[in-house]
Amino acid sequence: TITDQQAEVLRRVYISDPAPSMTKCQYMSEETGLRINTIKTWFREKRCRDRKFFERDEKLAYGKQWRQASIIFMFSMRDKKI
């Protein structure tokens, strides 16, 4: 289990480098006391979570634009005489 203090160190590095080199992983391992594999796994999973959130946010943003365009289209068609 990763403590809050260890996670904070990982988060600080992640902000500037989401895919750290082996040298950085070794440094974080010494600083936190975590195994290098644990650190690499944390970064891999964090990138995956962030990618999923980004994709979800994109879909939500696109969905909102699509709904707005649909409403505009519906109102424009209502005003036209066919």
Side-chain angles (χ1 to χ4, degrees), residues 10-25:
L10 300 177
R11 279 191 292 268
R12 276 188 283 131
V13 173
Y14 183 82
I15 290 169
S16 63
D17 187 3
S21 66
M22 182 58 78
T23 305
K24 277 191 180 178
C25 288

Side-chain angles (χ1 to χ4, degrees), residues 1 3-4 6 10 12 16-18 23 29-30 35 39 42 46 48 53 56-57 63-65 70-71 73 75 78 81:
T1 305
T3 67
D4 291 340
Q6 292 167 326
L10 300 177
R12 276 188 283 131
S16 63
D17 187 3
T23 305
S29 176
E30 292 169 7
R35 293 180 29 215
I39 293 169
W42 185 92
K46 176 77 169 126
C48 184
F53 284 123
R56 185 200 67 193
D57 288 348
K64 186 184 295 183
Q65 290 172 350
S70 297
I71 291 168
F73 177 75
F75 281 109
R78 182 189 68 178
K81 293 182 181 178

